[in-house]
Amino acid sequence: MKYYIIAGEASGDLHGSNLIKGLKQADPDASFRVWGGDLMEMEAGSLVRHYRDTALIGFLEVVTHLNKILSNLALCKKDIADFNPDVVILIDYPGFNFKIASFARKRGFKVFYYISPKVWAWKESRIKNIKRDVDLLFIIFPFEIEYFRKRGIKAIYNGNPLMDSISSHPFNEITREEFLNRYNLPDKPYIALLAGSRKGEIEYMMPRLIEVEKRLPQYRFILAAAPSMEISFYEKFLEGSSIRVIKGDTYSILKHAHS
């Protein structure tokens, strides 16, 4: 079968890569076209567009990048039509993916939504889009089963894929002492920081995280860099700050942070 898979941020890239692994095991002849990140590219073998080039936050950023958004949508629609997949699989990222779902449905493609947007928390009106444009909805929280059932949508729940990602991650084998030695860190409590995976999120969050650091001088702070961002991107925010930025070891950073 031919699968077209779209994820728009780091978490979607992680889950998308694991999904591709599973699909390849179940369907050895599978072929893929993907929008995502480095992890999905590694599994699929190629990438149409990286999420760092598509993800935007906030009304102002959307307005100022409207041409870019429309260009990405047009490219995605044409690429789907050219690839002619057996199924389009959408991973969260509702602002973009609901538009693609509508297009794909009108063109007669099957549409699966893997990791439903959190419509129970934000923009519940999008329920109508799911009913109209999605053939199968896959959810990650048990309470969502009843939530969607009451709204006339059959949702499939097979657990949370994040648990599989965590259980298979090598951080489980690393002690605190080994972690500290790896990065030459002092043996004192630290607080883990996450600033998001998108450029706009990080630019918004960094000044606020630095303010938190100033208010809690008794702690060290370690920031887990987003997979799509180079450490140099964070450095312009860190003058006069002792926040340490580490890339590629997020789970270990979280595991050994002060509780």
Side-chain angles (χ1 to χ4, degrees), residues 23-212:
L23 289 172
K24 287 193 295 188
Q25 290 177 357
D27 181 7
D29 296 323
S31 59
F32 301 91
R33 293 281 287 174
V34 302
W35 290 51
D38 299 339
L39 298 176
M40 288 175 67
E41 181 178 20
M42 189 181 306
E43 292 301 325
S46 64
L47 194 68
V48 181
R49 186 61 54 89
H50 200 289
Y51 65 75
R52 64 171 167 255
D53 300 320
T54 63
L56 301 169
I57 63 168
F59 177 77
L60 182 59
E61 191 173 7
V62 169
V63 170
T64 56
H65 292 81
L66 187 58
N67 287 339
K68 180 179 179 181
I69 295 170
L70 294 175
S71 175
N72 282 328
L73 280 168
L75 170 62
C76 188
K77 291 175 182 178
K78 182 179 185 305
D79 200 54
I80 290 172
D82 290 344
F83 185 60
N84 192 32
D86 294 291
V87 60
V88 177
I89 303 177
L90 311 172
I91 303 176
D92 203 357
Y93 194 40
F96 188 90
N97 275 340
F98 274 126
K99 294 179 176 62
I100 296 302
S102 177
F103 163 82
R105 167 63 89 184
K106 290 175 183 176
R107 288 296 188 97
F109 297 111
K110 281 192 174 298
V111 179
F112 294 175
Y113 219 123
Y114 182 66
I115 306 181
S116 168
K118 298 171 184 61
V119 291
W120 39 265
W122 177 250
K123 293 189 177 181
E124 193 172 30
S125 61
R126 284 172 165 169
I127 286 286
K128 68 178 185 297
N129 299 75
I130 295 174
K131 284 185 174 181
R132 184 188 65 212
D133 299 326
V134 175
D135 294 287
L136 280 178
L137 181 67
F138 297 85
I139 57 177
I140 62 173
F141 300 113
F143 74 85
E144 290 180 318
I145 300 172
E146 185 66 10
Y147 173 87
F148 284 110
R149 187 193 66 78
K150 288 182 177 179
R151 288 155 182 81
I153 298 172
K154 182 181 179 181
I156 297 173
Y157 172 74
N158 285 317
N160 192 319
L162 182 59
M163 302 307 296
D164 293 332
S165 299
I166 292 174
S167 63
S168 63
H169 198 277
F171 84 91
N172 284 313
E173 304 168 4
I174 300 172
T175 67
R176 176 179 171 81
E177 182 180 5
E178 290 170 334
F179 172 74
L180 296 176
N181 289 338
R182 174 183 293 177
Y183 298 106
N184 195 27
L185 296 168
D187 188 8
K188 62 181 294 187
Y190 73 84
I191 294 175
L193 303 175
L194 298 172
S197 60
R198 295 173 284 186
K199 185 177 179 181
E201 286 178 318
I202 296 167
E203 290 174 336
Y204 176 82
M205 288 297 298
M206 286 305 298
R208 290 157 178 81
L209 295 179
I210 290 170
E211 185 61 32
V212 172

Side-chain angles (χ1 to χ4, degrees), residues 217-238:
Q218 69 272 34
Y219 292 101
R220 283 186 61 87
F221 288 81
I222 299 178
L223 190 150
S228 62
M229 295 293 172
E230 296 301 324
I231 290 179
S232 59
F233 176 76
Y234 298 87
E235 291 176 347
K236 62 184 177 182
F237 302 101
L238 296 176

Side-chain angles (χ1 to χ4, degrees), residues 15-28:
H15 299 316
S17 68
N18 288 330
L19 175 63
I20 294 169
K21 288 178 186 176
L23 289 172
K24 287 193 295 188
Q25 290 177 357
D27 181 7

